[in-house]
Amino acid sequence: MIRVNGSEISEEAIGREMQYHPADSREEAWEEAAQALVVRELLMQQAVEQEVVVPPQADEEDESTEEERQIDALLKQELQIPQPDREACRRFYDNNKNRFRKPDRFQVAHILLPAAPEDEAAREAARVHAQELLDILLETPERFGPLAREHSACPSKEEDGDLGWVVKGQTVPEFETFLYEGRPGELIPTPVPTPYGYHVVHLKAREGGEEIAFEEAEETIAAYLQEQTWRRAVRQYISILAGQAEIEGLEIEAAGSPLVQ
């Protein structure tokens, strides 16, 4: 039996809440759901005690419940979060410059020789075929389009194998590795293996990787720092409420609440 200052949280309520807390085991999902309901009850009790006025829905598309709006109003009333100053933003920028770079993008064409990952014979045949095509193209690179149309198993063959511009995450990691190692304007000098088979790859161009100026990133950094400060403040506030409350049947961990994820 779980109670928060005498108010009971039923097994049925926890069961309904579990659908919002996917986990590796039922026990873990139950624990997370119970934690969430205890935190919600703590906040709702505090909202009632503070006589928090529930604001109206912001617009017709706002799907938040009255309870959610009341908790949000409570937190905004109780927690005053200062805006990060320019110095703090600059310090974060200087310490995390690798996070403020434009993504690399690659203009790529390829010829796919298909083979399933588990079919060793087919993969070896695809590798040999890819090497044969690559040998031809190293001598006559202008034949890439016609050979792609003739041999590639990718729909891009209709565009002479051209995939256009791709960025990290758009292709499989095995393919991306060779793009980063390749020289723009040249063929990748070896057949490229992926789960789909073997590829003959022409890296036409590469762009990006440039550093984003602080002035361009400052607004995003300020929002990020304020969000982090807000989350810490909410965790601390929940911890204080939990320390002042009488909670039976569960040890509350504020950091585990979905309200402060």
Side-chain angles (χ1 to χ4, degrees):
M1 187 69 67
I2 298 177
R3 292 190 178 89
V4 180
N5 294 322
S7 179
E8 179 182 330
I9 296 177
S10 69
E11 285 284 346
E12 290 79 6
I14 296 173
R16 290 192 298 271
E17 180 70 18
M18 283 174 64
Q19 65 182 305
Y20 305 112
H21 303 272
D24 293 334
S25 67
R26 187 181 188 283
E27 291 75 16
E28 186 179 348
W30 187 95
E31 179 77 16
E32 291 180 4
Q35 287 269 349
L37 292 179
V38 168
V39 168
R40 194 176 303 163
E41 181 63 25
L42 281 169
L43 293 170
M44 284 302 300
Q45 289 182 12
Q46 188 68 10
V48 172
E49 182 178 325
Q50 297 293 329
E51 298 181 345
V52 172
V53 177
V54 183
Q57 287 181 307
D59 54 60
E60 294 182 358
E61 296 183 359
D62 182 4
E63 298 181 355
S64 61
T65 65
E66 182 173 342
E67 181 181 90
E68 289 169 341
R69 294 197 302 277
Q70 191 167 15
I71 289 174
D72 184 59
L74 168 72
L75 294 174
K76 288 178 179 177
Q77 174 181 298
E78 295 292 292
L79 306 177
Q80 301 301 317
I81 308 300
Q83 287 277 354
D85 59 26
R86 201 163 197 264
E87 182 180 348
C89 293
R90 183 76 204 200
R91 187 163 53 250
F92 184 86
Y93 175 84
D94 289 339
N95 292 334
N96 298 273
K97 283 193 173 180
N98 61 314
R99 299 174 61 172
F100 300 103
R101 305 187 71 85
K102 294 179 180 178
D104 291 306
R105 67 174 193 152
F106 308 88
Q107 188 179 20
V108 185
H110 80 140
I111 301 171
L112 170 61
L113 291 312
E118 68 280 0
D119 191 335
E120 294 183 7
R123 290 190 69 80
E124 177 59 16
R127 186 194 66 78
V128 170
H129 191 182
Q131 186 63 60
E132 291 171 349
L133 294 176
L134 183 58
D135 291 340
I136 294 171
L137 291 169
L138 288 171
E139 294 293 329
T140 55
E142 68 276 7
R143 294 182 62 189
F144 195 100
L147 289 177
R149 288 180 176 274
E150 181 179 353
H151 297 281
S152 183
C154 177
S156 64
K157 69 180 183 179
E158 301 301 331
E159 303 296 330
D160 292 343
D162 191 8
L163 294 172
W165 288 94
V166 298
V167 297
K168 186 175 182 179
Q170 282 189 286
T171 62
V172 294
E174 299 89 342
F175 196 87
E176 286 178 356
T177 297
F178 283 87
L179 296 184
Y180 278 97
E181 293 178 354
R183 297 177 62 178
E186 297 184 5
L187 291 159
I188 302 297
T190 185
V192 175
T194 74
Y196 301 106
Y198 278 82
H199 308 250
V200 178
V201 180
H202 180 203
L203 178 56
K204 293 183 173 182
R206 175 178 176 176
E207 293 180 355
E210 299 92 351
E211 188 175 284
I212 297 173
F214 170 69
E215 290 73 18
E216 188 178 347
E218 184 177 3
E219 185 176 343
T220 300
I221 294 171
Y224 173 80
L225 292 179
Q226 188 170 35
E227 175 67 16
Q228 295 303 303
T229 302
W230 170 262
R231 292 185 182 188
R232 287 193 296 270
V234 172
R235 285 197 294 268
Q236 183 179 16
Y237 183 64
I238 293 171
S239 294
I240 291 171
L241 293 182
Q244 296 171 343
E246 182 179 348
I247 301 174
E248 304 172 58
L250 188 73
E251 291 187 10
I252 184 68
E253 297 178 7
S257 169
L259 294 169
V260 292
Q261 291 289 314

